[in-house]
């Protein structure tokens, strides 16, 4: 299959002959490759490739990582993630001081008959704000907690792509709520919303976002319990010190809404209605209604802070715009900006 040939091609990252752990391009590329390792590990399992026949190991061994363990879904026995440990040739080398000791990486959906059913079910759970109730996330969360217990949080990275980015987001948020901040790389993370960012007319797009902000803020005020409104403890604000690294492509409708989500905050501040947007940005209409029905709901895409990197390079089709492979290319046209809530 041509698709598999593309997935297994490790020639792209080979331009990094020596990793500079202070370099944002190198850090991003390594994180993306380790996520790719989780993808290929599952494909190796599906095709019964073991030992020297396996295609996955080069994706981590090239960067001096060892596979500590695979994360396996109880429902279908698929490999959905991996835990890597950094094993440099010499620990005395000062150049590796900024490297992570451990990386927990999660793959996204694989469109094959062996894994699509369970992956697809989890994708639906993301739309329904129910990922936190799934068995796969429970396994992932336990793995993250175990690694953080074994090593300082400053020595741990989380990374994920698409569905895997959703898992990494939720795990990172949960740890941040406990006061533990983990460096997190989210590639093409899902944003459950109408694809407003795809609208070409800027005025129409801004008009829809403004109306949505006022509607969401109004519903939030109306549906939230009075006691909750008067409570100074704001879990959303508590998360603001956690700044995950988001990598999105404007041509990818799955993640492109993050661009408008963060830019709209600044726009509303300039209009003098920042207070309305601060209320709207920590709620979603769907989440509010689920909460009103007594269902716990914490939409994944609601993030207080982020370092948002947008790939402005040409993306002729969805496969390229949503693909993990774009994030280790050396010739990317990237635009990065940090957003802080408050």
């Amino acid at each position: 299959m041509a698709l598999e040939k593309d997935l297994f091609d490790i020639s792209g990252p080979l331009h990094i002959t020596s990793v500079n752990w202070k370099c944002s391009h190198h850090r991003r590329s390594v994180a993306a490759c380790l996520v790719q390792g989780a993808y290929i590990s599952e494909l190796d399992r599906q095709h019964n490739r073991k030992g020297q026949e396996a295609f996955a190991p080069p994706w981590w061994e090239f960067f001096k990582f060892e596979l500590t363990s695979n994360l396996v879904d109880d429902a279908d026995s698929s490999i959905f993630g991996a835990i890597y440990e950094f094993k440099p040739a010499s620990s005395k080398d000062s150049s590796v001081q900024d490297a992570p000791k451990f990386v927990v990486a999660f793959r996204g959906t694989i469109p094959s008959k062996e894994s699509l059913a369970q992956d697809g079910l989890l994708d639906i759970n993301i739309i329904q704000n129910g990922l936190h109730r799934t068995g796969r996330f429970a396994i992932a969360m336990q793995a993250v907690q175990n690694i953080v217990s074994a090593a300082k949080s400053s020595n741990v990275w989380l990374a994920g792509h698409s569905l895997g980015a959703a898992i990494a987001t939720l795990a990172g948020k949960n740890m941040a709520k406990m006061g533990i901040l983990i460096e997190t790389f989210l590639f093409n993370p899902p944003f459950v919303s109408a694809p407003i960012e795809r609208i070409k007319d800027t005025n129409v797009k801004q008009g829809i976002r403004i109306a949505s902000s006022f509607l969401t803020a109004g519903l939030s005020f109306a549906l939230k319990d009075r006691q909750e409104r008067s409570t100074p403890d704001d879990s959303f604000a508590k998360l603001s010190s956690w700044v995950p690294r988001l990598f999105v492509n404007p041509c990818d409708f799955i993640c492109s809404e993050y661009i408008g989500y963060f830019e709209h905050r600044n726009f509303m501040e300039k209009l003098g209605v920042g207070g309305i947007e601060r209320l709207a940005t920590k709620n979603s209409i769907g989440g509010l209604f689920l909460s009103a029905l007594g269902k716990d709901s914490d939409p994944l895409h609601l993030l207080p802070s982020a370092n948002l990197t947008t790939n402005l390079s040409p993306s002729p089709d969805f496969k390229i715009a949503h693909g993990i492979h774009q994030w280790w290319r050396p010739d990317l046209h990237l635009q990065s900006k940090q957003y802080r809530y408050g």
Side-chain angles (χ1 to χ4, degrees), residues 232-288:
D233 181 17
D234 188 337
S235 60
F236 192 78
K238 279 185 173 181
L239 286 174
S240 62
S241 56
W242 178 56
V243 188
R245 300 179 183 277
L246 277 63
F247 301 92
V248 304
N249 189 311
C251 296
D252 175 14
F253 67 89
I254 290 177
C255 67
S256 61
E257 281 306 299
Y258 272 111
I259 300 170
Y261 174 73
F262 286 109
E263 287 184 349
H264 186 60
R265 293 185 192 176
N266 293 344
F267 180 74
M268 293 291 277
E269 287 287 348
K270 292 178 181 179
L271 287 182
V273 287
I276 295 292
E277 182 57 25
R278 281 191 290 275
L279 182 58
T281 198
K282 59 183 180 180
N283 293 286
S284 72
I285 294 175
L288 287 169

Side-chain angles (χ1 to χ4, degrees), residues 43-68:
L43 290 173
D44 281 344
R45 183 195 71 85
Q46 292 181 14
H47 295 280
N48 199 30
R49 292 187 289 258
K50 300 178 181 179
Q52 294 184 344
E53 295 181 351
F55 292 159
W59 288 95
W60 57 81
E61 291 176 349
F62 181 76
F63 300 107
K64 313 302 181 187
F65 282 88
E66 290 183 3
L67 178 66
T68 298

Side-chain angles (χ1 to χ4, degrees), residues 160-179:
H161 174 249
S162 194
L163 167 59
I167 293 174
T169 299
L170 187 53
K173 288 176 76 170
N174 285 353
M175 297 304 290
K177 289 175 182 178
M178 293 185 280

Side-chain angles (χ1 to χ4, degrees), residues 9 15 55 66 77 87 92 94 109 126 152 172 205 240 246 253 256 262 270 289 299 305 323 329-330 337:
D9 184 11
H15 66 278
F55 292 159
E66 290 183 3
S77 299
K87 293 281 190 176
K92 296 180 180 180
S94 60
T109 301
I126 293 174
K152 294 181 180 179
K205 184 161 54 177
S240 62
L246 277 63
F253 67 89
S256 61
F262 286 109
K270 292 178 181 179
F289 279 114
S305 306
R329 285 176 47 192
K337 188 172 182 179

